[in-house]
Structure formats: structure tokens, C-alpha cells
Amino acid sequence: MAADLSARDVERVKFAFSIYDFEGNGTMDAFYIGDCLRALNLNPTVATIEKLGGTEKRKEKMIKLDDFMPLFAQVKKDKDAGGYEDFIEVLKLYDKSENGTMMYAELEHILLSLGERLEKSELEPILKECCPPEDEEGCIPYEQFVTALTKGIN
């Protein structure tokens, strides 16, 4: 699977891996698999990281670059991450007036309770950064939220 990677991807992976190779011995703690993948502009879920061998505690397992390359290739190839259009389609389900807006409180509830749940303390900075102000009815234009949220994602 790693053979499918471009030379540029291989160099990027080597560089990111080297950052998490704190001891300089060619290994990375499996605790940092998710962080390293995210540094490479991928968005694996916690469940995906678990499946790939990521650990919840430091110093439980070490991984070599040759073992990490196929993990990167697998996550890069994964189509389940969703993109701008997918997020818009989902939020349209909550657009009761069909005018491009949804209740701010409903968006907050969705992010706190569905899928890979966020904690309230994790959610507040995201909403503050990405959400436009609520109108007098408590609604926000969700397209602006998705645009801000997905900015910089391939």
C-alpha cells in the first residue's frame, strides 16, 4: 500500500514521523499515530486510530517508519472522512425553513451527541471560531460554518 504513495508523500511522511521520533532511534510511540496523521493533513477518527494500533497511553508500543507508511496510505485512501459537500448535505436536514440556516443550539447538540462526540470544553472554541453570529431567531447560516471548519482541508 505504501508503494501507492508519491515521492512527495513519502518525504512528507518521513519528515512528520521524524518530528514524533523523540529519541531519534527510528521509532515513534504509537500514542502519537493520530497526531502524526493529523500533522499530515489527514482527519482520522479516534476509532480509526485505535484500529491502526494507536494506544491510549504513552510507552505501550513503538512503531517504525516502515510500519507507519502503510497506515498513512490507508488513511489517505479512506473515503469515509467526508468533505465540504457531505457536511452541507447533512446540515440541510436541519434547515427547517430551507433558507440556508439552522438553529445554533441544534448544531451544538449535534456536535455534542452524534458521531465522534466532543466535550463542551472542546466544542466552545470551535463554535466561537467558525460560527457566524446568531440571528434574532437563534439561527446561523450553516454554509459559513462548514466553510470555516473545512478551510485548508484537501
Side-chain angles (χ1 to χ4, degrees):
M1 214 182 300
D4 299 338
L5 297 176
S6 68
R8 184 174 181 267
D9 278 343
V10 170
E11 287 307 310
R12 288 177 55 236
V13 170
K14 285 180 181 178
F15 177 73
F17 188 91
S18 71
I19 291 171
Y20 290 95
D21 178 8
F22 300 126
E23 296 173 15
N25 62 4
T27 63
M28 172 179 69
D29 193 321
F31 177 81
Y32 295 107
I33 288 175
D35 293 338
C36 192
L37 290 170
R38 289 182 184 107
L40 290 161
N41 285 330
L42 298 176
N43 298 304
T45 63
V46 172
T48 300
I49 294 165
E50 234 174 72
K51 278 191 240 168
L52 296 174
T55 59
E56 290 186 24
K57 295 180 184 172
R58 289 178 181 87
K59 300 184 181 189
E60 284 184 355
K61 175 179 160 187
M62 299 303 278
I63 185 171
K64 294 182 180 196
L65 177 62
D66 291 341
D67 297 325
F68 182 75
M69 283 281 188
L71 302 181
F72 169 79
Q74 181 182 342
V75 175
K76 185 175 184 200
K77 205 168 83 173
D78 187 13
K79 301 290 183 214
D80 289 340
Y84 176 85
E85 292 82 15
D86 299 317
F87 297 139
I88 291 294
E89 285 304 310
V90 168
L91 294 180
K92 278 183 181 178
L93 299 171
Y94 297 93
D95 184 357
K96 306 289 189 255
S97 304
E98 296 182 3
N99 63 358
T101 65
M102 68 179 291
M103 297 288 295
Y104 176 88
E106 203 161 33
L107 176 63
E108 185 178 52
H109 172 73
I110 291 165
L111 295 172
L112 288 172
S113 60
L114 298 178
E116 194 162 323
R117 295 173 180 90
L118 295 172
E119 296 296 323
K120 184 89 169 165
S121 61
E122 296 171 310
L123 180 60
E124 286 171 354
I126 294 168
L127 292 177
K128 187 175 183 177
E129 177 86 19
C130 297
C131 276
E134 294 176 65
D135 64 14
E136 60 278 348
E137 295 172 4
C139 293
I140 59 156
Y142 55 83
E143 191 170 339
Q144 285 180 259
F145 168 72
V146 175
T147 299
L149 192 65
T150 59
K151 185 171 57 177
I153 296 176
N154 299 342

